Amino acid sequence: MSLITSKIISTITKSNNDICNLVQRCFASKTSDYVRIVEVGPRDGLQNEKKNVPSASKIQFINKLSDCGFKTIEVTSFVSPKWVPQLADGAEVFSKINKVQGISYPVLVPNLKGLESAMSVGVQEIAVMGSASDTFSMKNLNCTSQESVDRIKTFVNLAKQNNIKVRGYISCVVGCPYEGKIKPINTVKITEALLELGCYEISLGDTNGVGTPGSIKTMLKDVLKVVSPKQLAIHCHDTYGQALVNIYTSLEMDIRVVDASVSGLGGCPYSKGATGNVATEDLVYQLNGMGVETGINLEKLMEAGDYICKEIGKPTESKVHRALSKLKN
């Protein structure tokens, strides 16, 4: 081999190594950061359970979750007991849980009456609900998507006047059980509308779990043209086993807040066949493997999952929980 050839090969090799190192550093900088997990099990996870869960059990469940390292735990919903009988004890549960400093305990409110009830027990953060699908909105909220925004407008100012933070949910961001595929523009419009009302964060929900990395990416590309990723969260149901890969896709697009439900609890009464949210245990395991900080103690999380699963008489839907339990036994 000539001296010139040797130098060319050496230069190319060094260049390739520099490129590889740069790629690794870029990947590490994107993944080795912090993701805030919003635990929605006590509200979204339990609201569809037909077996009544005693208030004392809900309180104990939430207290166990407070010991896991979460920064946000959605506690309950201040909605009419006629529509969600399981959460009729919302005021009692919120009043009696141990509120740990540094943890936010939001509740879902659908209207002014719900807000007033929440304020009467000292709620400091609420969540409001919109939809990218008119048909789903009619089934769930008895109004169109735009009407739901107009309804929120009637009480969200009162919340802000009382220094209550407001988080927004949007259901059916990529697909609807009644309308099928949802155009990204529908999700964009509702996202902008809720932000204009004063929501500090919008949780984009794949309510019936039909999303794939392709549809989630397409939707997020359009939404991110008008809002910052810092204003967004992702909320994935695992009906088709796509929740974790959809979350990974969102992380690649700089979303850093993820909703999850311990043991995969949940479902949706207005979406036939929809299962619960991604299991928090599975999400934490995935993020740990990526080198992403969550602040969540997985062992304590599994204990909280064991507790609530015994209370409702159902096995955990978390694959990580099942696997680690077998190894422990």
Side-chain angles (χ1 to χ4, degrees):
M1 182 183 298
S2 70
L3 181 61
I4 294 176
T5 303
S6 179
K7 284 184 176 180
I8 292 173
I9 292 173
S10 176
T11 301
I12 292 173
T13 301
K14 184 178 184 302
S15 178
N16 286 341
N17 287 339
D18 288 343
I19 292 171
C20 288
N21 289 334
L22 178 61
V23 170
Q24 288 174 351
R25 287 197 301 273
C26 289
F27 181 77
S29 68
K30 288 195 71 174
T31 59
S32 298
D33 55 2
Y34 176 77
V35 165
R36 176 166 62 90
I37 297 177
V38 177
E39 175 56 52
V40 298
R43 196 278 300 177
D44 199 12
L46 294 182
Q47 66 179 0
N48 298 311
E49 288 297 323
K50 293 179 181 178
K51 177 185 176 182
N52 180 60
V53 182
S55 302
S57 298
K58 294 173 185 172
I59 293 165
Q60 180 74 351
F61 175 41
I62 295 166
N63 288 343
K64 285 180 177 292
L65 290 172
S66 292
D67 195 36
C68 292
F70 292 104
K71 295 298 182 185
T72 310
I73 303 170
E74 192 177 57
V75 173
T76 187
S77 175
F78 282 76
V79 66
S80 169
K82 175 184 176 182
W83 299 110
V84 189
Q86 182 67 259
L87 302 182
D89 57 356
E92 178 185 359
V93 170
F94 183 86
S95 298
K96 293 183 178 179
I97 57 173
N98 297 329
K99 297 176 183 68
V100 178
Q101 188 173 3
I103 301 178
S104 181
Y105 297 94
V107 303
L108 183 70
V109 299
N111 49 37
L112 178 59
K113 184 177 180 180
L115 174 61
E116 291 173 341
S117 297
M119 289 173 58
S120 70
V121 292
V123 166
Q124 296 182 329
E125 180 176 342
I126 64 170
V128 296
M129 181 73 75
S131 178
S133 162
D134 276 334
T135 308
F136 187 86
S137 185
M138 288 298 299
K139 296 281 187 180
N140 189 22
L141 304 170
N142 199 32
C143 61
T144 67
S145 298
Q146 183 55 52
E147 287 170 347
S148 72
V149 173
D150 295 338
R151 181 184 295 178
I152 292 167
K153 191 183 300 184
T154 64
F155 65 87
V156 74
N157 283 335
L158 177 62
K160 290 189 292 182
Q161 288 167 13
N162 286 272
N163 297 316
I164 296 173
K165 294 174 68 178
V166 184
R167 187 177 196 248
Y169 278 111
I170 302 178
S171 57
C172 301
V173 294
V174 292
C176 169
Y178 309 103
E179 296 182 14
K181 291 182 180 179
I182 295 296
K183 294 179 180 178
I185 188 61
N186 292 8
T187 302
V188 171
K189 287 179 179 178
I190 300 299
T191 300
E192 288 185 298
L194 291 180
L195 286 173
E196 286 175 8
L197 290 181
C199 293
Y200 76 91
E201 182 174 275
I202 306 298
S203 177
L204 303 171
D206 180 18
T207 308
N208 49 344
V210 297
T212 63
S215 60
I216 291 292
K217 188 173 185 177
T218 298
M219 178 272 296
L220 284 176
K221 275 185 176 179
D222 281 9
V223 174
L224 289 171
K225 289 176 182 177
V226 296
V227 303
S228 163
K230 293 180 180 179
Q231 297 172 291
L232 300 175
I234 193 74
H235 181 114
C236 296
H237 286 241
D238 203 32
T239 312
Y240 291 85
Q242 299 293 294
L244 285 177
V245 291
N246 289 340
I247 290 169
Y248 186 87
T249 298
S250 303
L251 293 175
E252 286 189 315
M253 301 182 76
D254 291 330
I255 307 300
R256 288 296 179 267
V257 183
V258 182
D259 295 355
S261 178
V262 65
S263 294
L265 296 173
C268 180
Y270 305 101
S271 179
K272 188 175 181 180
T275 61
N277 281 292
V278 63
T280 315
E281 300 95 320
D282 297 357
L283 175 61
V284 170
Y285 182 85
Q286 180 191 53
L287 293 174
N288 286 346
M290 293 168 61
V292 176
E293 280 292 325
T294 64
I296 309 301
N297 184 307
L298 183 55
E299 188 171 342
K300 289 184 177 181
L301 181 62
M302 289 174 58
E303 290 174 5
D306 279 333
Y307 174 81
I308 195 61
C309 284
K310 287 177 183 176
E311 289 296 306
I312 63 176
K314 289 183 176 181
T316 179
E317 292 297 324
S318 165
K319 292 180 175 62
V320 167
H321 195 145
R322 292 174 185 170
L324 292 180
S325 295
K326 287 180 181 178
L327 287 175
K328 189 179 292 186
N329 292 333

